[in-house]
Amino acid sequence: MQECLIRDFPDFIGKEVTIKGWVSNRRSSGRVSFLVFRDGSGICQVIAERDTLGEIYAEIKKIPIESSAIVHGTVVEESRAPGGFEVQASGIEIVQKSEEFPIGKKEHGPDFLLSNRHLWLRSQRQTTIMRVRDALVRHVRNYFYENGFTLIDTPIFTTTCGEDTSNLFSVEYFDLGKTYLSQTGQLYLEAAISGLGKVYCLGPTFRAERSKTRRHLTEFWMVEAEVAFNDHKKNLELQEDFVSYIVQNTLAEKEAELLSLERDLEPLKKVVPPFHRISYDEALDILRKQGSDIQWGADLGADDETVITQLFDKPVFIENYPKQTKAFYMKQVPDKPEYVYCADLLAPEGYGEIIGGSQREDNLDVLLKSIRDNNLEPERYGWYLDLRKYGSVPHAGFGLGIERTLSWICGLKHVRETIPFPRMIYRAYP
Ligand code: 4AD
Ligand code: MG
């Protein structure tokens, strides 16, 4: 009898196998029980009959769901069975009889499910989302590998703040006082381009944002890219090529999973270059025509983004925000210094911002002035300013949020299901 994975059943039809896993579901009668069985690679149906199994059948007949077990039996193709295969059991060993599983068939509220995330994570829907996440991250890495980028792992403890100083998590760091959990790897990527040209990072980032929305986490994963000699225009071309690649490859690999999440695939198929481009000022015009009283200089809110994405069938860049609205490092538009060379990329169907990117200020004096104007302490930026002293070049980059992108690809309402253990204002357990 050969041990095998359910995933490999097509190679084992008619053969005797051993599988190890968990009972996802059970239906029993006097002489036969049907178990939905899961081994981490897939699911199948196990047919357990009293006459074959003998004494243990009494226990199998009422085995609690989520019990762990080892099943021996013959693989049979059966299109009507969950997973398309049955195992006609010749023997079953119970590894551990489960206590009554807290997550049942009845509807549970999100708080209950999140408090039981360690158990919820084994449900079929959640494992499907995790498999899509795995594919997405793999295609992200493949894109950069195939396009000549070098991975740079940027630090998590930092003393140089890259984004909004009002949402930093601070950590006591030995005798050095406060350090902060990184909000972005960007500044460190900027240091790496002078040696490596094209670089990227992919890791957790932290924002102490008091926003209780469907798209905010306090700990999220971001992939960031930085390219020497790229300007704003090339930066957008890189982003549309990258986003199209990761969406199309994830879709091709995980079509069955996305369908099982009831994702409509048609809008995703349209995600190919070129994406739409509108300016910040055009976005304000659109919003005002729809009755908004948004003022010049305000950042777009989630609702504003939703309105705009619904007008386009593909992702849309909003370019050239006011200088005052965005981070200190963005390059001013030469003939219109009240604007910066930047863009947010909004995903369609109401999803909104998935990328923030910009061309960076490469002039020492202009950058120093911007640091001062933003009430940041220049002493903390000594190393970052050095980059503008020793062979400064035009350069640009962007950061894409993995969870927001995954929630868009999977068609989920909330980012909390896209990360194994979500961290939000009111949740740091389990
Ligand atoms: O727009 P952001 O703040 O850009 C940066 O951090 C730049 N330094 C990136 C760069 O140019 N290298 O964040 C980038 C993306 C957002 O578009 C969004 O997808 C995601 O990170 N993001 C969040 N995702 C979940 N929860 C949050 N609180 C997020 N904040 C940003
Ligand atoms: Mg942003």
Side-chain angles (χ1 to χ4, degrees), residues 163 183-184 186 207 209 215-217 220 222 224 329 353-357 360 397-399 401 404:
E163 299 293 326
Q183 301 167 302
T184 169
Q186 177 197 322
R207 308 255 171 118
E209 268 171 311
R215 47 180 164 169
H216 283 92
L217 296 165
F220 63 95
M222 178 155 57
E224 297 178 84
Y329 52 71
E353 182 191 337
I354 54 167
I355 286 185
R360 323 304 189 184
F398 66 89
R404 288 195 191 170

mmCIF file of all heavy atoms in Angstrom, residues 163 183-184 186 207 209 215-217 220 222 224 329 353-357 360 397-399 401 404, ligand 1:
data_model
loop_
_atom_site.group_PDB
_atom_site.id
_atom_site.type_symbol
_atom_site.label_atom_id
_atom_site.label_comp_id
_atom_site.label_asym_id
_atom_site.label_seq_id
_atom_site.Cartn_x
_atom_site.Cartn_y
_atom_site.Cartn_z
ATOM 1 N N GLU A 163 6.951 57.607 5.113
ATOM 2 C CA GLU A 163 5.605 58.081 4.756
ATOM 3 C C GLU A 163 5.082 58.993 5.869
ATOM 4 O O GLU A 163 5.855 59.667 6.517
ATOM 5 C CB GLU A 163 4.674 56.884 4.501
ATOM 6 C CG GLU A 163 5.125 55.975 3.341
ATOM 7 C CD GLU A 163 5.051 56.646 1.963
ATOM 8 O OE1 GLU A 163 4.152 57.465 1.746
ATOM 9 O OE2 GLU A 163 5.926 56.359 1.121
ATOM 10 N N GLN A 183 7.326 51.530 7.403
ATOM 11 C CA GLN A 183 6.095 51.767 6.627
ATOM 12 C C GLN A 183 6.329 51.471 5.156
ATOM 13 O O GLN A 183 5.394 51.409 4.369
ATOM 14 C CB GLN A 183 5.706 53.242 6.708
ATOM 15 C CG GLN A 183 5.465 53.765 8.084
ATOM 16 C CD GLN A 183 5.409 55.286 8.054
ATOM 17 O OE1 GLN A 183 6.347 55.943 7.629
ATOM 18 N NE2 GLN A 183 4.295 55.844 8.509
ATOM 19 N N THR A 184 7.600 51.391 4.775
ATOM 20 C CA THR A 184 7.969 51.229 3.362
ATOM 21 C C THR A 184 9.445 50.871 3.287
ATOM 22 O O THR A 184 10.224 51.305 4.135
ATOM 23 C CB THR A 184 7.720 52.544 2.575
ATOM 24 O OG1 THR A 184 8.328 52.434 1.275
ATOM 25 C CG2 THR A 184 8.323 53.759 3.262
ATOM 26 N N GLN A 186 11.045 51.688 0.552
ATOM 27 C CA GLN A 186 11.464 52.533 -0.580
ATOM 28 C C GLN A 186 12.799 53.249 -0.402
ATOM 29 O O GLN A 186 13.647 53.226 -1.286
ATOM 30 C CB GLN A 186 10.370 53.570 -0.859
ATOM 31 C CG GLN A 186 10.737 54.549 -1.961
ATOM 32 C CD GLN A 186 9.850 55.772 -1.934
ATOM 33 O OE1 GLN A 186 8.657 55.665 -1.678
ATOM 34 N NE2 GLN A 186 10.414 56.927 -2.203
ATOM 35 N N ARG A 207 1.537 50.190 9.580
ATOM 36 C CA ARG A 207 0.963 51.547 9.656
ATOM 37 C C ARG A 207 -0.022 51.582 10.819
ATOM 38 O O ARG A 207 -0.991 50.804 10.834
ATOM 39 C CB ARG A 207 0.199 51.899 8.371
ATOM 40 C CG ARG A 207 0.993 51.690 7.094
ATOM 41 C CD ARG A 207 1.487 52.965 6.474
ATOM 42 N NE ARG A 207 2.412 52.650 5.389
ATOM 43 C CZ ARG A 207 2.236 52.972 4.110
ATOM 44 N NH1 ARG A 207 1.149 53.637 3.756
ATOM 45 N NH2 ARG A 207 3.133 52.663 3.205
ATOM 46 N N GLU A 209 -2.610 53.022 11.479
ATOM 47 C CA GLU A 209 -3.718 53.805 10.944
ATOM 48 C C GLU A 209 -4.980 53.479 11.719
ATOM 49 O O GLU A 209 -5.347 52.309 11.826
ATOM 50 C CB GLU A 209 -3.927 53.471 9.459
ATOM 51 C CG GLU A 209 -3.158 54.395 8.571
ATOM 52 C CD GLU A 209 -3.168 53.957 7.103
ATOM 53 O OE1 GLU A 209 -2.900 52.792 6.812
ATOM 54 O OE2 GLU A 209 -3.447 54.821 6.264
ATOM 55 N N ARG A 215 -10.299 48.039 3.659
ATOM 56 C CA ARG A 215 -9.004 47.889 2.978
ATOM 57 C C ARG A 215 -7.791 48.302 3.794
ATOM 58 O O ARG A 215 -6.713 48.469 3.250
ATOM 59 C CB ARG A 215 -9.023 48.616 1.662
ATOM 60 C CG ARG A 215 -9.580 50.008 1.697
ATOM 61 C CD ARG A 215 -9.490 50.504 0.279
ATOM 62 N NE ARG A 215 -10.299 51.660 0.037
ATOM 63 C CZ ARG A 215 -10.191 52.368 -1.065
ATOM 64 N NH1 ARG A 215 -9.317 52.030 -1.972
ATOM 65 N NH2 ARG A 215 -10.942 53.408 -1.248
ATOM 66 N N HIS A 216 -7.961 48.460 5.094
ATOM 67 C CA HIS A 216 -6.825 48.821 5.940
ATOM 68 C C HIS A 216 -6.449 47.720 6.905
ATOM 69 O O HIS A 216 -7.275 47.217 7.657
ATOM 70 C CB HIS A 216 -7.119 50.097 6.726
ATOM 71 C CG HIS A 216 -6.991 51.330 5.892
ATOM 72 N ND1 HIS A 216 -8.060 51.874 5.239
ATOM 73 C CD2 HIS A 216 -5.915 52.086 5.584
ATOM 74 C CE1 HIS A 216 -7.645 52.940 4.565
ATOM 75 N NE2 HIS A 216 -6.354 53.088 4.758
ATOM 76 N N LEU A 217 -5.172 47.402 6.915
ATOM 77 C CA LEU A 217 -4.594 46.518 7.917
ATOM 78 C C LEU A 217 -3.499 47.334 8.598
ATOM 79 O O LEU A 217 -2.965 48.279 8.003
ATOM 80 C CB LEU A 217 -3.982 45.286 7.253
ATOM 81 C CG LEU A 217 -4.947 44.349 6.522
ATOM 82 C CD1 LEU A 217 -4.187 43.397 5.611
ATOM 83 C CD2 LEU A 217 -5.782 43.568 7.543
ATOM 84 N N PHE A 220 0.678 44.848 6.744
ATOM 85 C CA PHE A 220 0.341 44.323 5.416
ATOM 86 C C PHE A 220 1.617 44.096 4.636
ATOM 87 O O PHE A 220 2.683 44.564 5.011
ATOM 88 C CB PHE A 220 -0.595 45.290 4.664
ATOM 89 C CG PHE A 220 0.008 46.634 4.367
ATOM 90 C CD1 PHE A 220 0.616 46.895 3.140
ATOM 91 C CD2 PHE A 220 -0.006 47.642 5.319
ATOM 92 C CE1 PHE A 220 1.190 48.137 2.866
ATOM 93 C CE2 PHE A 220 0.567 48.889 5.061
ATOM 94 C CZ PHE A 220 1.162 49.127 3.833
ATOM 95 N N MET A 222 3.874 44.472 1.273
ATOM 96 C CA MET A 222 3.981 45.361 0.122
ATOM 97 C C MET A 222 5.152 44.913 -0.736
ATOM 98 O O MET A 222 6.196 44.539 -0.211
ATOM 99 C CB MET A 222 4.157 46.810 0.585
ATOM 100 C CG MET A 222 4.320 47.791 -0.550
ATOM 101 S SD MET A 222 3.848 49.502 -0.178
ATOM 102 C CE MET A 222 4.855 49.897 1.214
ATOM 103 N N GLU A 224 7.679 46.449 -3.532
ATOM 104 C CA GLU A 224 8.105 47.752 -4.038
ATOM 105 C C GLU A 224 9.234 47.574 -5.037
ATOM 106 O O GLU A 224 10.088 46.698 -4.874
ATOM 107 C CB GLU A 224 8.573 48.642 -2.878
ATOM 108 C CG GLU A 224 7.457 48.946 -1.904
ATOM 109 C CD GLU A 224 7.927 49.779 -0.729
ATOM 110 O OE1 GLU A 224 7.989 51.015 -0.872
ATOM 111 O OE2 GLU A 224 8.229 49.206 0.330
ATOM 112 N N TYR A 329 9.219 63.011 -0.643
ATOM 113 C CA TYR A 329 10.294 62.604 -1.573
ATOM 114 C C TYR A 329 9.904 62.711 -3.042
ATOM 115 O O TYR A 329 10.698 62.436 -3.919
ATOM 116 C CB TYR A 329 10.722 61.162 -1.263
ATOM 117 C CG TYR A 329 9.562 60.181 -1.207
ATOM 118 C CD1 TYR A 329 8.880 59.802 -2.366
ATOM 119 C CD2 TYR A 329 9.119 59.661 0.013
ATOM 120 C CE1 TYR A 329 7.805 58.933 -2.319
ATOM 121 C CE2 TYR A 329 8.042 58.779 0.070
ATOM 122 C CZ TYR A 329 7.387 58.424 -1.103
ATOM 123 O OH TYR A 329 6.318 57.568 -1.053
ATOM 124 N N GLU A 353 -7.362 52.143 -4.699
ATOM 125 C CA GLU A 353 -5.889 52.186 -4.746
ATOM 126 C C GLU A 353 -5.228 50.854 -4.409
ATOM 127 O O GLU A 353 -5.420 50.308 -3.329
ATOM 128 C CB GLU A 353 -5.379 53.254 -3.782
ATOM 129 C CG GLU A 353 -3.861 53.374 -3.839
ATOM 130 C CD GLU A 353 -3.256 54.218 -2.721
ATOM 131 O OE1 GLU A 353 -3.956 55.072 -2.145
ATOM 132 O OE2 GLU A 353 -2.063 53.997 -2.431
ATOM 133 N N ILE A 354 -4.419 50.371 -5.348
ATOM 134 C CA ILE A 354 -3.568 49.206 -5.049
ATOM 135 C C ILE A 354 -2.089 49.568 -5.133
ATOM 136 O O ILE A 354 -1.257 48.862 -4.591
ATOM 137 C CB ILE A 354 -3.858 47.991 -5.965
ATOM 138 C CG1 ILE A 354 -3.776 48.369 -7.443
ATOM 139 C CG2 ILE A 354 -5.213 47.368 -5.629
ATOM 140 C CD1 ILE A 354 -3.745 47.154 -8.375
ATOM 141 N N ILE A 355 -1.768 50.669 -5.855
ATOM 142 C CA ILE A 355 -0.366 51.096 -5.975
ATOM 143 C C ILE A 355 -0.261 52.580 -5.669
ATOM 144 O O ILE A 355 -1.105 53.368 -6.086
ATOM 145 C CB ILE A 355 0.169 50.883 -7.422
ATOM 146 C CG1 ILE A 355 0.421 49.399 -7.720
ATOM 147 C CG2 ILE A 355 1.480 51.664 -7.640
ATOM 148 C CD1 ILE A 355 1.068 49.152 -9.088
ATOM 149 N N GLY A 356 0.821 52.935 -4.957
ATOM 150 C CA GLY A 356 1.256 54.323 -4.878
ATOM 151 C C GLY A 356 2.660 54.367 -5.455
ATOM 152 O O GLY A 356 3.483 53.523 -5.113
ATOM 153 N N GLY A 357 2.932 55.313 -6.355
ATOM 154 C CA GLY A 357 4.276 55.373 -6.934
ATOM 155 C C GLY A 357 4.620 56.785 -7.341
ATOM 156 O O GLY A 357 3.754 57.663 -7.385
ATOM 157 N N ARG A 360 11.222 60.248 -7.978
ATOM 158 C CA ARG A 360 11.739 60.779 -6.716
ATOM 159 C C ARG A 360 12.535 62.061 -6.952
ATOM 160 O O ARG A 360 13.177 62.209 -8.003
ATOM 161 C CB ARG A 360 12.656 59.765 -6.032
ATOM 162 C CG ARG A 360 12.246 58.307 -6.148
ATOM 163 C CD ARG A 360 10.848 58.009 -5.652
ATOM 164 N NE ARG A 360 10.619 56.543 -5.604
ATOM 165 C CZ ARG A 360 9.475 55.982 -5.294
ATOM 166 N NH1 ARG A 360 8.397 56.720 -5.058
ATOM 167 N NH2 ARG A 360 9.366 54.665 -5.248
ATOM 168 N N GLY A 397 9.816 54.699 -8.773
ATOM 169 C CA GLY A 397 9.413 53.376 -8.291
ATOM 170 C C GLY A 397 7.986 53.401 -7.777
ATOM 171 O O GLY A 397 7.281 54.410 -7.883
ATOM 172 N N PHE A 398 7.584 52.275 -7.242
ATOM 173 C CA PHE A 398 6.195 52.149 -6.780
ATOM 174 C C PHE A 398 6.081 51.050 -5.737
ATOM 175 O O PHE A 398 6.990 50.222 -5.589
ATOM 176 C CB PHE A 398 5.266 51.848 -7.969
ATOM 177 C CG PHE A 398 5.513 50.503 -8.611
ATOM 178 C CD1 PHE A 398 4.864 49.367 -8.154
ATOM 179 C CD2 PHE A 398 6.407 50.370 -9.661
ATOM 180 C CE1 PHE A 398 5.092 48.122 -8.735
ATOM 181 C CE2 PHE A 398 6.643 49.131 -10.255
ATOM 182 C CZ PHE A 398 5.987 47.999 -9.784
ATOM 183 N N GLY A 399 4.948 51.032 -5.037
ATOM 184 C CA GLY A 399 4.658 49.971 -4.070
ATOM 185 C C GLY A 399 3.241 49.464 -4.263
ATOM 186 O O GLY A 399 2.295 50.262 -4.391
ATOM 187 N N GLY A 401 0.237 46.932 -2.735
ATOM 188 C CA GLY A 401 -0.222 46.203 -1.547
ATOM 189 C C GLY A 401 -0.720 44.821 -1.948
ATOM 190 O O GLY A 401 -1.613 44.697 -2.784
ATOM 191 N N ARG A 404 -4.576 44.135 -0.793
ATOM 192 C CA ARG A 404 -5.598 44.820 -1.597
ATOM 193 C C ARG A 404 -5.679 44.208 -2.989
ATOM 194 O O ARG A 404 -6.765 44.072 -3.566
ATOM 195 C CB ARG A 404 -5.278 46.303 -1.707
ATOM 196 C CG ARG A 404 -5.519 47.008 -0.393
ATOM 197 C CD ARG A 404 -5.554 48.489 -0.633
ATOM 198 N NE ARG A 404 -5.518 49.205 0.635
ATOM 199 C CZ ARG A 404 -5.348 50.503 0.727
ATOM 200 N NH1 ARG A 404 -5.168 51.226 -0.367
ATOM 201 N NH2 ARG A 404 -5.347 51.085 1.909
HETATM 202 O O1 4AD B 1 0.700 54.551 -1.256
HETATM 203 P P1 4AD B 1 1.654 53.982 -0.251
HETATM 204 O O2 4AD B 1 1.647 54.554 1.107
HETATM 205 O O3 4AD B 1 3.090 54.104 -0.935
HETATM 206 C C1 4AD B 1 4.292 53.861 -0.352
HETATM 207 O O4 4AD B 1 4.471 53.349 0.733
HETATM 208 C C2 4AD B 1 5.460 54.150 -1.255
HETATM 209 N N1 4AD B 1 6.665 54.305 -0.426
HETATM 210 C C3 4AD B 1 5.602 53.049 -2.266
HETATM 211 C C4 4AD B 1 6.755 53.277 -3.221
HETATM 212 O O5 4AD B 1 6.679 54.210 -4.008
HETATM 213 N N2 4AD B 1 7.780 52.464 -3.147
HETATM 214 O O6 4AD B 1 1.390 52.414 -0.125
HETATM 215 C C5 4AD B 1 1.497 51.586 -1.261
HETATM 216 C C6 4AD B 1 0.366 50.564 -1.288
HETATM 217 C C7 4AD B 1 -1.019 51.156 -1.372
HETATM 218 O O7 4AD B 1 -1.348 51.532 -2.683
HETATM 219 C C8 4AD B 1 -1.861 50.015 -0.870
HETATM 220 O O8 4AD B 1 -2.042 49.030 -1.878
HETATM 221 C C9 4AD B 1 -0.988 49.414 0.208
HETATM 222 O O9 4AD B 1 0.348 49.804 -0.080
HETATM 223 N N3 4AD B 1 -1.381 49.915 1.528
HETATM 224 C C10 4AD B 1 -2.119 49.230 2.418
HETATM 225 N N4 4AD B 1 -2.675 47.997 2.360
HETATM 226 C C11 4AD B 1 -3.375 47.551 3.433
HETATM 227 N N5 4AD B 1 -3.533 48.264 4.567
HETATM 228 C C12 4AD B 1 -2.985 49.516 4.671
HETATM 229 N N6 4AD B 1 -3.134 50.207 5.802
HETATM 230 C C13 4AD B 1 -2.246 50.038 3.562
HETATM 231 N N7 4AD B 1 -1.593 51.199 3.331
HETATM 232 C C14 4AD B 1 -1.068 51.098 2.085
#
